Amino acid sequence: MYEKTQNILRMAKESNTSVIAFICMDYIMARSVVYAAEKTNTPAIVMLYPEHVSVQHTTGICNYATMVKELAGEVNVPIGLHADHDYSYGAVVRSMNAGFDSIMIDGSMHSLEKNISITKEVVIKAHSLNVCVEGEIGHVGLAKEDADSREDLYTKPEVAKKFCDETGVDALAVSIGNAHGEYKSIPKLDIKRLEEIHDMTDVPLVLHGGSGIPDNQLLIAFSKGINKFNLGTEFLGRYYSAMEEYINVNKYNSNPVKIIDLPEYVQSRLQPYLENRLRTLCRF
Ligand SMILES: [Zn+2]
């Protein structure tokens, strides 16, 4: 069933666990997430990375929101919808107009003052439309640039408090040793810093750059204030491998119409991976 992301975040906070928000670039990925959630009876969020609309064109933005709501209606477990990293007021408005009731405004590359002012403007508009807003403080950079070990980018607890107080965000992405993309070496989350941020703030905290962080670290983070966990790179890699496998299996089949069986095949490969992630990491 379709559920507002705000409500799923509340459930996660109450259960002292984290919902997983999976980056899905198309119907095959979204459907795999929805059915893995159903199979494990675990709430999940289907998340659009807006560049997949504006740069890679793997989906359309209005279609995407409609697609997720339709898929959610096929199952009994709560499924949320969220638009990841938008960088401007205009981009956020586009996501909200397309039917997203949960968005992220990422002003973390700006100065604190500018990040606060952009985020605040978005929150006022979003809350008038009953839309949930995730902001980011500190900066989650790129793993390929070793951002996970750059403490100057980490979230400072007192700044996180100021940011939440002044903007009114509903969720907060933090930088505690996490980074986007593939890590060069095993990341080490700064759990002490997370605890301090959690003590000083009241909103669900969000961990980006989830691919490659060991499960034991994730479970500790989830028990200390992380209530939403974004998974993209690893899932996209699994998608690629499943496609490759299908092509290898059908290499000598001369019937090109065989392509129509690809979505079912790929889903059958993705679902066990997703079920494992949900069973292992979520405690609703
Ligand atoms: Zn991110």
Side-chain angles (χ1 to χ4, degrees):
M1 79 189 109
Y2 184 69
E3 185 62 75
K4 286 176 83 75
T5 287
Q6 177 102 47
N7 293 337
I8 298 178
L9 292 179
R10 188 174 330 123
M11 290 162 64
K13 198 168 167 53
E14 281 167 9
S15 305
N16 214 24
T17 188
S18 179
V19 62
I20 307 179
F22 295 96
I23 294 265
C24 297
M25 65 177 225
D26 63 10
Y27 186 76
I28 299 178
M29 293 181 92
R31 189 168 197 274
S32 302
V33 168
V34 168
Y35 280 87
E38 171 81 344
K39 187 83 181 287
T40 57
N41 195 28
T42 309
I45 294 171
V46 176
M47 183 164 70
L48 172 70
Y49 189 62
E51 277 189 15
H52 290 167
V53 171
S54 58
V55 181
Q56 287 91 15
H57 309 115
T58 62
T59 184
I61 192 162
C62 298
N63 300 349
Y64 191 94
T66 307
M67 165 185 91
V68 173
K69 289 172 188 175
E70 181 186 322
L71 280 168
E74 296 174 13
V75 299
N76 291 314
V77 72
I79 300 293
L81 169 70
H82 177 76
D84 204 14
H85 299 274
D86 270 327
Y87 299 101
S88 68
Y89 182 83
V92 167
V93 167
R94 184 176 82 139
S95 298
M96 294 192 293
N97 286 343
F100 286 78
D101 54 31
S102 177
I103 55 92
M104 176 188 194
I105 175 70
D106 178 1
S108 68
M109 73 295 285
H110 299 301
S111 67
L112 175 62
E113 289 65 36
K114 192 163 178 201
N115 189 359
I116 288 176
S117 74
I118 292 173
T119 306
K120 198 170 169 181
E121 188 187 12
V122 164
V123 168
I124 290 167
K125 174 72 175 171
H127 284 182
S128 75
L129 299 169
N130 214 2
V131 169
C132 169
V133 180
E134 176 183 329
E136 177 169 321
I137 194 71
H139 179 68
V140 181
L142 300 174
K144 66 178 180 199
E145 293 170 0
D146 296 315
D148 48 307
S149 53
R150 279 192 49 193
E151 284 195 34
D152 56 312
L153 300 177
Y154 287 11
T155 305
K156 295 180 181 67
E158 63 283 0
V159 177
K161 177 178 166 34
K162 179 181 162 71
F163 183 81
C164 288
D165 289 348
E166 294 189 16
T167 61
V169 284
D170 304 289
L172 183 67
V174 294
S175 173
I176 53 166
N178 48 315
H180 294 113
E182 222 163 304
Y183 294 95
K184 288 189 196 165
S185 54
I186 296 173
K188 192 168 180 329
L189 297 179
D190 186 342
I191 297 296
K192 186 167 169 288
R193 184 182 295 265
L194 173 62
E195 285 178 309
E196 288 166 9
I197 298 167
H198 185 41
D199 280 347
M200 293 188 78
T201 57
D202 214 17
V203 296
L205 302 176
V206 182
L207 191 68
H208 285 234
S211 303
I213 300 174
D215 288 356
N216 60 343
Q217 290 192 45
L218 291 174
L219 289 168
I220 293 171
F222 296 176
S223 72
K224 295 185 184 297
I226 296 293
N227 300 127
K228 174 171 170 279
F229 167 61
N230 290 2
L231 201 52
T233 303
E234 186 178 272
F235 185 25
L236 287 163
R238 295 288 178 138
Y239 188 19
Y240 184 91
S241 303
M243 287 266 198
E244 191 179 36
E245 197 181 301
Y246 183 78
I247 288 164
N248 283 334
V249 168
N250 290 284
K251 218 180 230 165
Y252 302 107
N253 187 322
S254 57
N255 181 6
V257 177
K258 216 44 199 145
I259 188 75
I260 60 174
D261 294 328
L262 181 136
E264 281 287 319
Y265 181 91
V266 170
Q267 185 176 336
S268 76
R269 288 298 184 270
L270 292 182
Q271 236 186 277
Y273 157 72
L274 295 165
E275 288 168 18
N276 169 281
R277 293 296 71 202
L278 292 163
R279 274 200 190 96
T280 309
L281 298 175
C282 304
R283 304 269 187 277
F284 281 92

